[in-house]
Amino acid sequence: MSEIKKSFHGIAFFTNLTSSLALIALLALGVFVNVNRFIVGDESTAGYKAVCLDTSSWNVACTVVGTAVGILAAIAFSNQDDVITRAELVQDRGVVAIFLRPLTVKRGLEQIYTLQVPFERTILVLCTVVTALMSAAVVALFGVHASRQEIINPLSSYPLADLNSSFFENDRAGALFASGSPTLNSVTSQLSGFLYKAAYITGQKIRGNYNPFDPYVAYLPEQGPLGDTTYNSLNTGGVGLNASSYLQYSGIPSDFSMPAAFEFNRLQATVYGTHVDVSCQDVTFAYTITSNEIEQMTLVFASKPNGPNITTFGNLDPDSILTTLAIGSAVILDPETQDPVHTLVIPEFITESALILECSYSGREYLAEVSIASLTSPLLIEREVNQGPMMGPLVNQRVANVTHGLLSIGGQGGNIARGFIDAEYNADGFNNTDMASALGTVIAQVGEAYFSVLRQQVERSNMVRGDSNVSHPSELRLYVTVSRLGGAQYGWLAVLGILLLASSVGTVRTCGGRRAVGFEAQDAVKLLARLLNEPVGEKTRVGYTDQLVVLGNGRGGRLSEAKHEPSPGAVTH
């Protein structure tokens, strides 16, 4: 009975079809997972879908699935190669003997060595090699791995003119509520401690004692937190990016996507800042100074026509007379320019005299590039990229009034006086050398700190201005690392695509009715049975003497021989 017929290759068709379906499913899921950002966590946000799973177990499962699909595809390609061999056996040209061996990588290398590289079989060899990448491809496409994300906030900072607007805050639950205008909120409580630090460090620098290695002097570093941001010096530059809201998730952003769980890498931004300059001039000559004593208290009065009348007082107790630095303060407006004139009185209670300074405020807005290098790094102003408008009278008045309010907290001079006293700089008001410069420096630093704290209230990741059409040249780029599901390069999808194409072609090839031999042509047992024309089964024992010999079922005895001449070098006795 002829074994040449048009046949349906069931096993080859089934393996290629199953391989195709598995690869289609993986390819579709791969595209879906890479288009949508899935991260390991408990809370989903806009643009980031959270999944809760055990990372190690998931990655092991991905490895197992990739290996299984790779093995299935390799079997499918081997079955394709067998179908081609069975079809070629019935053709007039026949088949090259090397293709009577099953498709393996070893056979593929020998094909190249013997220059037997027909197109279809060469493609199958290459696809078989590619199946070795299936495990890596599945882990890359579906495994959990650290993924670096660039998050862009297109509107991260605001000029001073916008701070009178109404702002709204998104909380973690997605609720939107009005936070009002930052200019209506008091920020003096956050500036009081900063004022002491600035005064103490300035006093130490003037005395030449600012040294972190001096064991006899308390050292305060310039770098430190102010509000929700750490600055590298006392000169904050009026920059008020709220760093804490970017170092960790604080609420749902309105104009960009941000994951709820991430590891901070670094931050770069272009933001607004405001420089404040304060110039203090000695105008003692223009004032009338009088004094009065009430018990152990000395009162010093300073006044001038059309100017402020300022009263200061001090304790003449011998135990405290050397630490009775007081600073009287008053703010009036220049009738022509409406700029504030901040008058400061530093009395000398023993001599019943005083140093009187008049301080003027100025400054301008600017755009700066800033960065934060790590979780513990301060905000660093790298460079100014654009200069903005000068501060107007109303802004100058606000800064002067804030400073005046701070000078009245905790006594005359507030924490400026306390800082100078602890730094042992002009602790009794007698040594006023460089006092004008010292006060101008400290007040300017506090003025910039005021704008920084003011901006921090609205330059948060989850804050949005009421006018959604606003546009500014500010921008923030946040670089974080998340535990992402998939997210690999699309080249790994190409691996699945190549194998899917080869499996699909094989499915079509194996379901067709091509003339072919009706047995597996690359099965050595079946080939031997056809060659000997004997019933050789899977358990039949085979030996070799002068020629190929088929033995009995484990009991020895020659049943038949292959009808061929012994090959050169055959084993003989």
Side-chain angles (χ1 to χ4, degrees):
M1 177 179 169
S2 174
E3 294 192 56
I4 300 175
K5 58 183 178 180
K6 291 184 178 180
S7 60
F8 172 72
H9 308 288
I11 296 178
F13 173 77
F14 175 77
T15 54
N16 278 273
L17 177 62
T18 305
S19 175
S20 298
L21 294 176
L23 288 167
I24 288 173
L26 289 177
L27 192 60
L29 286 173
V31 172
F32 177 75
V33 168
N34 279 269
V35 170
N36 298 278
R37 288 178 291 192
F38 291 92
I39 63 172
V40 177
D42 300 321
E43 185 175 352
S44 296
T45 61
Y48 292 89
K49 297 177 175 62
V51 291
C52 188
L53 50 81
D54 181 74
T55 301
S56 299
S57 299
W58 178 262
N59 285 341
V60 169
C62 289
T63 303
V64 172
V65 170
T67 302
V69 175
I71 291 173
L72 177 62
I75 293 173
F77 300 147
S78 179
N79 285 336
Q80 280 193 58
D81 188 75
D82 177 69
V83 170
I84 295 173
T85 297
R86 291 164 67 177
E88 289 182 352
L89 276 173
V90 301
Q91 295 177 3
D92 294 338
R93 293 181 58 194
V95 65
V96 178
I98 192 173
F99 298 126
L100 294 176
R101 292 160 49 190
L103 174 61
T104 60
V105 174
K106 178 176 180 292
R107 197 203 77 180
L109 293 176
E110 292 180 354
Q111 283 182 226
I112 297 173
Y113 179 74
T114 58
L115 300 179
Q116 298 299 317
V117 286
F119 179 76
E120 288 182 329
R121 294 186 188 271
T122 302
I123 293 298
L124 289 175
V125 170
L126 294 177
C127 288
T128 302
V129 173
V130 173
T131 58
L133 300 176
M134 270 302 300
S135 179
V138 172
V139 171
L141 291 171
F142 303 102
V144 176
H145 58 276
S147 175
R148 191 167 184 242
Q149 302 285 304
E150 181 186 49
I151 301 169
I152 301 177
N153 181 357
L155 191 62
S156 59
S157 183
Y158 300 93
L160 292 179
D162 286 354
L163 297 187
N164 290 316
S165 305
S166 295
F167 288 83
F168 297 86
E169 183 176 1
N170 282 312
D171 65 10
R172 295 179 72 101
L176 183 70
F177 57 91
S179 61
S181 167
T183 56
L184 300 179
N185 302 329
S186 174
V187 296
T188 54
S189 60
Q190 299 185 63
L191 295 175
S192 186
F194 180 88
L195 181 61
Y196 172 85
K197 182 178 179 180
Y200 179 85
I201 292 175
T202 300
Q204 290 282 17
K205 286 182 176 181
I206 292 176
R207 295 184 65 237
N209 288 341
Y210 188 64
N211 184 352
F213 306 107
D214 190 338
Y216 302 105
V217 178
Y219 174 76
L220 284 180
E222 289 194 58
Q223 177 178 313
L226 172 63
D228 293 323
T229 302
T230 299
Y231 296 88
N232 70 325
S233 74
L234 295 172
N235 299 309
T236 68
V239 171
L241 184 69
N242 193 305
S244 293
S245 69
Y246 290 97
L247 299 180
Q248 59 185 0
Y249 183 74
S250 58
I252 300 175
S254 59
D255 296 321
F256 63 101
S257 299
M258 186 175 184
F262 60 85
E263 178 185 340
F264 177 87
N265 292 333
R266 63 186 176 93
L267 179 150
Q268 290 182 317
T270 302
V271 298
Y272 286 95
T274 304
H275 284 307
V276 176
D277 298 310
V278 178
S279 177
C280 296
Q281 305 297 324
D282 185 350
V283 293
T284 307
F285 63 89
Y287 282 76
T288 300
I289 301 174
T290 60
S291 64
N292 191 12
E293 292 186 10
I294 301 177
E295 296 181 354
Q296 288 188 323
M297 299 294 293
T298 296
L299 287 80
V300 176
F301 307 95
S303 63
K304 76 171 183 178
N306 300 319
N309 297 312
I310 303 173
T311 301
T312 56
F313 56 89
N315 190 351
L316 295 180
D317 186 335
D319 294 333
S320 61
I321 188 64
L322 297 180
T323 58
T324 55
L325 175 64
I327 303 175
S329 172
V331 176
I332 63 173
L333 300 181
D334 185 297
E336 296 182 1
T337 65
Q338 294 299 301
D339 277 318
V341 178
H342 195 171
T343 303
L344 302 175
V345 177
I346 301 94
E348 300 173 5
F349 292 112
I350 294 179
T351 62
E352 298 182 356
S353 61
L355 169 68
I356 303 177
L357 305 173
E358 286 186 352
C359 301
S360 60
Y361 291 77
S362 63
R364 73 184 308 156
E365 200 163 58
Y366 65 98
L367 207 60
E369 290 182 355
V370 302
S371 65
I372 300 177
S374 69
L375 274 174
T376 57
S377 299
L379 183 144
L380 178 65
I381 301 175
E382 297 179 344
R383 68 187 186 98
E384 298 179 16
V385 295
N386 191 20
Q387 297 297 318
M390 298 292 295
M391 287 167 47
L394 293 178
V395 178
N396 290 333
Q397 291 173 31
R398 180 176 290 275
V399 180
N401 289 332
V402 168
T403 306
H404 171 69
L406 290 169
L407 289 173
S408 65
I409 298 175
Q412 298 177 105
N415 273 341
I416 285 187
R418 186 73 260 170
F420 283 161
I421 290 171
D422 290 349
E424 299 181 3
Y425 169 67
N426 197 21
D428 51 11
F430 277 88
N431 181 13
N432 286 313
T433 303
D434 295 324
M435 195 63 173
S437 174
L439 285 171
T441 298
V442 173
I443 294 173
Q445 290 171 341
V446 171
E448 291 186 350
Y450 165 71
F451 288 119
S452 294
V453 175
L454 201 66
R455 282 192 166 101
Q456 282 183 32
Q457 297 180 71
V458 295
E459 294 185 4
R460 299 169 53 89
S461 63
N462 61 327
M463 194 73 69
V464 58
R465 181 180 160 179
D467 180 8
S468 59
N469 295 322
V470 66
S471 178
H472 295 305
S474 64
E475 184 184 76
L476 180 143
R477 293 178 181 268
L478 177 65
Y479 299 92
V480 301
T481 299
V482 297
S483 295
R484 183 175 179 183
L485 195 70
Q489 298 295 326
Y490 283 94
W492 291 108
L493 290 173
V495 172
L496 300 186
I498 291 171
L499 298 182
L500 173 60
L501 181 61
S503 293
S504 301
V505 171
T507 303
V508 175
R509 174 184 288 132
T510 54
C511 74
R514 299 173 65 183
R515 292 181 70 252
V517 296
F519 59 90
E520 296 180 36
Q522 293 178 338
D523 187 323
V525 175
K526 291 182 172 59
L527 282 176
L528 184 61
R530 267 63 182 177
L531 181 63
L532 299 177
N533 199 23
E534 292 285 349
V536 179
E538 300 290 341
K539 296 182 179 180
T540 302
R541 301 182 66 85
V542 179
Y544 187 89
T545 54
D546 293 336
Q547 53 192 345
L548 192 63
V549 175
V550 177
L551 307 176
N553 295 324
R555 295 187 297 272
R558 190 171 72 176
L559 297 181
S560 60
E561 301 174 345
K563 305 300 182 181
H564 71 285
E565 294 296 327
S567 61
V571 178
T572 58
H573 298 281

